[in-house]
Amino acid sequence: MEFLAPTTLADALAAKAEHPDAMPILGGTDVMVELNFDRHRPPVLLDLTRVPELAEWSRDDRRVRLGAGVSYTRVIDELGHVLPGLAMASRTVGSPQIRNRGTVGGNLGAASPAGDSHPPLLAGGAEVELASLAGTRTVPIDEFYAGVKKHVGRPDELITAVYVDVPTGPQQFSKIGTRNAMVISVSAFSLALHPDRRRVGTGIGSAAPTPRRAADAETFIAGALDDDGLWESKGALPDALAREFGERVQTAASPIDDVRGTAAYRLHSLAVMARRTLAWAWSDYQGGTNA
Amino acid sequence: MRVTMTVNDEHHEVDDVWEGESLLYVLRERMGLPGSKNACEQGECGSCTVYVDGVTGCACLIAAGQAQGHHIVTVEGLATEDGLHPVQEAFIEAGAVQCGFCTPGLLVQTDDLLRRDPEPSDAEIREALAGNLCRCTGYEKILDAVRLAASRMKPEPGTLS
Ligand SMILES: Cc1cc2nc3c(=O)[nH]c(=O)nc-3n(C[C@H](O)[C@H](O)[C@H](O)COP(=O)(O)OP(=O)(O)OC[C@H]3O[C@@H](n4cnc5c(N)ncnc54)[C@H](O)[C@@H]3O)c2cc1C
Ligand code: FES
Ligand code: FES
């Protein structure tokens, strides 16, 4: 095995071009488990922790550019108020030690359907930045996932950043697990209200081969809120609407039975989380916070 | 490959490190620092917790090469010539050590907690130690130990910490 530790982005991209089968490593919280248990022996380990561009974030009015190597702890501490949905999800990841090293870029690289950063990125709106010697491109988050633990990045590309929209309304994240820490989600759901566009964003985790949106539920609830003039009036959210929203979220999922839970439980919990996160976000919206 | 790093303020240089080797293996098997324990090798138990440049992480999940040139502090680095670290003393006095396998990780993670927050609430202690498993104590004595350490380490009013 070879160990490469480039200190500039240009060198990192050159290394990936030369060794397309190199395994990138950021926090190592997925990669090292595979190495320790001999599940994987990549010919080259490409350490990206020394590339300064990946460890930085910046923002303008519209969005945050989050470098792939920014840890969950830093997302929580430095961006907790700017990106509440992603920060809520980050707080549920692993343990303090895992959050200190683990990154959103690594979560995207692993592209696990259970990754906790995916639902808030899907709900809030995001684009993944992929770079290679051939150039840089961005992929809308809902076109990024390509199958179980697969994404659309090419072997010569690295994930350099994710652009996360600065919210215009409340955001929520909810996750089912057996305890409060150190759990891979049984199912997860994130919701974002976009009052400026009168839209509602959703993201489903652990209940389909890939993280995904519930597009039909989004259209339904945005339309219903519009029809009832609720975006303007900020009136009470009818129970029937929230319930139907939950049911439509459920139909967007296609879960399996596994050691963490049954498909039936995942569907049930999704409907409950969808209903509740909508109610929480709506009550935030009514209170004027975040709006 | 050769890897060099500072561990507990000492410069270390080790050769023939396998490229996929963990920092934990290097510390224990190549540097003779067996304080950090190897229990799960998958980030679940926290018994290998060390500081890397002042931030705690699981040494089993850090590639040796990623530690190159960095400052590592292990449980061996907590005590000074003057004696045990207050967190170590508190763990002993509170009876928070039984088999002791989890203790090194808990000591480092508790030290980190009290540096950042000298007066943590019980909920904050639980949250900070959520990634450290103990199969013996039932955690109550560990909570006692952290509270005891916090009360002793609290900066005196008027002094600079
Ligand atoms: C004890 C424990 C608890 C955990 N709990 C959770 C949890 O609650 N929720 C959750 O979502 N995850 C959890 N995880 C999984 C893991 O921590 C996350 O997926 C984390 O986000 C991975 O980030 P990393 O920086 O450590 O990635 P790494 O392990 O460094 O990399 C992960 C993957 O991404 C690839 N990669 C890394 N960087 C790039 C790049 N720049 N471009 C392209 N590919 C890249 C790697 O090759 C690898 O395939 C847990 C892991 C452990 C060990
Ligand atoms: S040995 Fe590293 S966390 Fe268990
Ligand atoms: S004292 Fe035995 S595992 Fe904690």
Side-chain angles (χ1 to χ4, degrees), chain B residues 42-80:
Chain B
Q42 51 182 312
E44 294 280 347
C45 75
S47 59
C48 64
T49 302
V50 298
Y51 283 107
V52 180
D53 297 339
V55 178
T56 61
C58 299
C60 69
L61 298 184
I62 298 166
Q66 292 187 294
Q68 164 74 36
H70 288 287
H71 285 264
I72 313 298
V73 175
T74 69
V75 68
E76 287 98 337
L78 291 185
T80 62

Side-chain angles (χ1 to χ4, degrees), chain A residues 41-55:
Chain A
R41 274 290 161 92
V44 179
L45 208 51
L46 180 58
D47 177 25
L48 299 174
T49 55
R50 291 170 209 274
V51 178
E53 290 92 331
L54 301 190

Side-chain angles (χ1 to χ4, degrees), chain A residues 28-63:
Chain A
T29 60
D30 282 315
V31 169
M32 289 306 289
V33 175
E34 298 199 5
L35 291 184
N36 290 346
F37 286 83
D38 242 338
R39 285 186 206 135
H40 208 84
R41 274 290 161 92
V44 179
L45 208 51
L46 180 58
D47 177 25
L48 299 174
T49 55
R50 291 170 209 274
V51 178
E53 290 92 331
L54 301 190
E56 293 163 0
W57 62 264
S58 58
R59 69 166 286 190
D60 58 27
D61 292 344
R62 207 161 60 80
R63 51 192 199 167

Side-chain angles (χ1 to χ4, degrees), chain B residues 97-102 134-137:
Chain B
V97 183
Q98 288 189 30
C99 81
F101 214 81
C102 65
C134 173
R135 301 302 305 271
C136 302
T137 63

Side-chain angles (χ1 to χ4, degrees), chain A residues 16 22-34 46 48 54 68-70 72 89 92-95 98-99 101-112 114-118 130 151 157-161 175 181-185, chain B residues 42-45 58 61 66:
Chain A
K16 193 71 170 109
M23 181 179 262
I25 177 168
L26 281 167
T29 60
D30 282 315
V31 169
M32 289 306 289
V33 175
E34 298 199 5
L46 180 58
L48 299 174
L54 301 190
V70 177
Y72 291 111
T92 75
V93 172
S95 62
I98 299 295
R99 294 193 290 274
R101 307 255 340 153
T103 65
V104 176
N107 212 227
L108 288 166
S112 160
D116 283 317
S117 68
H118 311 311
L130 295 163
H151 60 73
E157 283 180 317
L158 292 173
I159 300 166
T160 40
K175 163 176 170 178
M182 300 293 252
V183 283
I184 302 176
S185 71
Chain B
Q42 51 182 312
E44 294 280 347
C45 75
C58 299
L61 298 184
Q66 292 187 294

Side-chain angles (χ1 to χ4, degrees), chain A:
Chain A
M1 198 188 285
E2 241 187 295
F3 190 91
L4 300 176
T7 54
T8 65
L9 184 58
D11 284 352
L13 297 178
K16 193 71 170 109
E18 196 183 333
H19 308 278
D21 49 2
M23 181 179 262
I25 177 168
L26 281 167
T29 60
D30 282 315
V31 169
M32 289 306 289
V33 175
E34 298 199 5
L35 291 184
N36 290 346
F37 286 83
D38 242 338
R39 285 186 206 135
H40 208 84
R41 274 290 161 92
V44 179
L45 208 51
L46 180 58
D47 177 25
L48 299 174
T49 55
R50 291 170 209 274
V51 178
E53 290 92 331
L54 301 190
E56 293 163 0
W57 62 264
S58 58
R59 69 166 286 190
D60 58 27
D61 292 344
R62 207 161 60 80
R63 51 192 199 167
V64 172
R65 183 183 188 278
L66 184 66
V70 177
S71 69
Y72 291 111
T73 299
R74 288 184 57 203
V75 169
I76 296 163
D77 291 350
E78 298 167 26
L79 290 166
H81 295 291
V82 186
L83 303 175
L86 186 60
M88 272 184 224
S90 300
R91 287 189 196 95
T92 75
V93 172
S95 62
Q97 292 94 320
I98 299 295
R99 294 193 290 274
N100 283 347
R101 307 255 340 153
T103 65
V104 176
N107 212 227
L108 288 166
S112 160
D116 283 317
S117 68
H118 311 311
L121 293 178
L122 285 163
E127 283 187 328
V128 182
E129 184 184 85
L130 295 163
S132 71
L133 286 184
T136 300
R137 60 176 176 137
T138 53
V139 179
I141 188 73
D142 54 352
E143 293 166 23
F144 176 74
Y145 310 106
V148 181
K149 302 194 177 180
K150 287 199 173 62
H151 60 73
V152 299
R154 296 191 311 261
D156 67 328
E157 283 180 317
L158 292 173
I159 300 166
T160 40
V162 55
Y163 287 91
V164 192
D165 292 352
V166 170
T168 56
Q171 303 192 331
Q172 283 292 340
F173 174 80
S174 183
K175 163 176 170 178
I176 304 279
T178 43
R179 60 181 278 229
N180 235 347
M182 300 293 252
V183 283
I184 302 176
S185 71
V186 175
S187 59
F189 185 75
S190 187
L191 179 132
L193 299 182
H194 306 289
D196 56 325
R197 285 168 285 156
R198 301 188 176 192
R199 272 206 45 229
V200 176
T202 60
I204 294 175
S206 284
T210 67
R212 60 164 68 151
R213 288 169 46 203
D216 165 63
E218 291 178 4
T219 314
F220 161 75
I221 192 66
L225 292 170
D226 228 0
D227 291 346
D228 292 358
L230 288 169
W231 289 114
E232 295 80 19
S233 73
K234 298 193 175 183
L237 181 75
D239 279 350
L241 278 192
R243 251 198 321 279
E244 179 160 356
F245 175 66
E247 283 156 18
R248 288 185 187 236
V249 165
Q250 214 173 29
T251 57
S254 49
I256 54 167
D257 292 332
D258 69 12
V259 287
R260 297 202 304 280
T262 61
Y265 179 69
R266 290 192 155 100
L267 288 176
H268 174 73
S269 56
L270 265 182
V272 174
M273 288 189 291
R275 204 176 64 221
R276 286 187 189 160
T277 52
L278 177 63
W280 294 332
W282 191 255
S283 133
D284 268 4
Y285 180 58
Q286 290 176 303
T289 52
N290 287 326

Side-chain angles (χ1 to χ4, degrees), chain B residues 75-143:
Chain B
V75 68
E76 287 98 337
L78 291 185
T80 62
E81 280 175 10
D82 299 336
L84 291 180
H85 187 280
V87 173
Q88 291 173 308
E89 282 180 344
F91 266 65
I92 294 169
E93 282 175 43
V97 183
Q98 288 189 30
C99 81
F101 214 81
C102 65
T103 312
L106 277 161
L107 294 174
V108 174
Q109 192 62 20
T110 300
D111 180 60
D112 176 60
L113 166 67
L114 297 181
R115 278 166 188 265
R116 284 181 293 105
D117 181 359
E119 291 178 83
S121 66
D122 280 6
E124 285 162 343
I125 298 174
R126 286 171 188 274
E127 177 57 37
L129 302 183
N132 293 77
L133 299 185
C134 173
R135 301 302 305 271
C136 302
T137 63
Y139 300 103
E140 283 305 323
K141 306 268 183 199
I142 291 172
L143 283 171

